[in-house]
Amino acid sequence: MKKTNKVSIGRIVMALCLALALSSGVLLSGCSLFSIGLPPKPVKPNFAGTLTIPTSYDDIYDALAYIMEMQNPNGGMFWGVLDNADGAPMPAAPGIEALGIEAKEAASGSNSSYSQTNVQVRGIDEGDIVKTDGKSIFIVSGAEVVIMRADGANTIEVARIKIEDVIVNKNENSYPVYPRELYVVGNTLVILYDYSIYEMINEPTYTNETAGSDASVKDYYYPSYNYQTFTEVACFDISDPAKPRLVNVFGQDGSYLSSRLQDGILYLISSYWIYNYLPLDRDCPEMFVPAFYTGAAVTLVAPRDVCILPDLDSAAYTVITSIDVAKASCIDQQSILGSNNTLYMSYDNLYLANGVFDEVVENSYKDGSFTVTEYRQINSTRIIKFSIADGKIDYIADGLVPGVVVNQFALDEYEGYLRIVTTVYSNSYRTLEDSKSKIYDYGSYEFEPPTNALYILDKDLEESGSITGLAEKERVYSVRFDGAVGYFVTFERIDPLFSVDLSDPKNPKIQGALKIPGFSTYMHIFGENRLFGFGMATDEDGRTQGLKLSMFDTTDPFNITEKHVFNLGDTYSNALYDHKAIIIDAEKNLIGFPVGDGYEVYGYSDERGFYKRQAIEFKTDEFYYYYFNQRGLYIDTYFYICAANNVGVYTLDTLVPVVQIPIEVDDGYFNKPLPFVDEAIATDNGTPPPSARG
């Protein structure tokens, strides 16, 4: 495992080396960026149909060489490392598999009760833009984290943390840095953020060679840049919330993907992409292997800590680090070569799911002088399982199931089995080839209607039982597992809510299918024998008609009825696809979520159904985004609605307004120049050049 004291090795220096090579024509020794003559043709690694652990950096290089040759056959080995958040896969729209918003005793030992982030699995926390420990509220606000003392009418801002002040890989050419998510662990505030820095590879040039052009107007040739993206974790001591103290900073290559926190151990996941911009060198693993950072110290991942997927189809890593928050120390690292975009974590295991594209030859025959080959294409999901005992990340198994998942809560572990719900997309086509006349053509391209499936996998991710071919022409919109029962919603014009008996993992059975207008994108257990659905109402043709609240009676889980429904009208909420944006507490009769430019709180009873408890409309000249990303939470007898630019305090029992506290937002971009803006060009041509990547 290679260590160095500076991030620039193999990364920032790489761009400088390339510039020197281009300008001087000198062949560099050591980590050479060019070779004399054409590079050798990559050889396909022997993946043997299963995940492999490389024994050397050469194995990793060969895997990357193969996949990048397939992606860019004319580019040969002239590739490079380029990180940028825009190129990384977006996190899957999250879902909910929570047992409820749990009131928690404050760590200080007081009798304070407060709500927590709505999470998928009770006891496994997820990062969010607002957190509370029952005494303070921590809010992501632009480029800063704002700390509020939560005290009802006396709530006040006490401190701010500007993230740009704590980043490790500082660079005069970096983009503004924004916190992504937060955690609070005892007296430690954990801030997660990612950012990009860039180095110019070649200088911009100006010419007046355009025929007939005015000599006063310059032609501009855009420079090329090498980008690097880092995900970091800053741990602050908040024993005194008014004086947060930086304890340590951890980081890793790539853009932020997701995270989880269990028993004081943080699991940080990022996506690290290798792009075709700079030449790779087999002898320089710094160019194609991710690194981890503890402060300014850099550790390159060892080959034994890399897993190579068998169906490798992208030059991307998923990078995982486990961190002991209390000790402010790194426990373990693991990287998977092959993109992964969905994370599910149980108490004992961490699962990564990645969509892959399979193509098989179903038939081949002669038709006159033509050879006809029939192909079938199907989207599948590759699942990788790691054990996480005491933060040690160990590979256990990997498996493949047909179809793709809607989000994280389509996966669930129960009594040693993994249950997963997918939507299966497939198509077929055929090719005609005449080797003598060199005629090659495609024909008969047919899309098959989607279907849906449920698979149960054992501890080795081998199939134990399944249900396939469900709800043709529809797709999955939401999934909810509740012990030995599973619920999932598919939709085309109406909303079939399926209930599945999962008590026998070898023989799952569909026991009920309730068909109603609309669909739910989010489901949540609401007290005993009640299932709450949050989604969209639709007309008879399947056109959406605004938000809809549903309450299902699950007294008999295999004979579900819709007990009450409430249509909010033609409006939208980001809680449709972000489970953290909604707060639900059956005991406190509380269902709250952002709606349009406001926030609404509902109550529910079997007698009254849904009823509106409070509707708050914000009238402001500030960016709409601030109110679009709100969080509701309660501490003792007060309810707080938190946005990046405002905190509203209300009584919890009656939701009467108490006080509004404005927050001045530091937007980051307005406080530093944007990259690629050349003042000379802006003066000569009137507008700055557009961004040029690579």
Side-chain angles (χ1 to χ4, degrees), residues 10 18 27 65 73 148 236 265 338 386 406 431 442 481 522 573 623 677:
L18 178 59
L27 182 64
M148 311 286 294
F236 286 83
I265 298 175
F386 298 93
V406 62
T431 62
Y442 287 89
F481 291 98
Y522 173 103
S573 170
F623 291 115
V677 177

Side-chain angles (χ1 to χ4, degrees), residues 631-643:
R631 296 293 187 265
L633 61 91
Y634 64 80
I635 302 174
D636 294 331
T637 59
Y638 292 98
F639 187 72
Y640 300 81
I641 300 176
C642 306

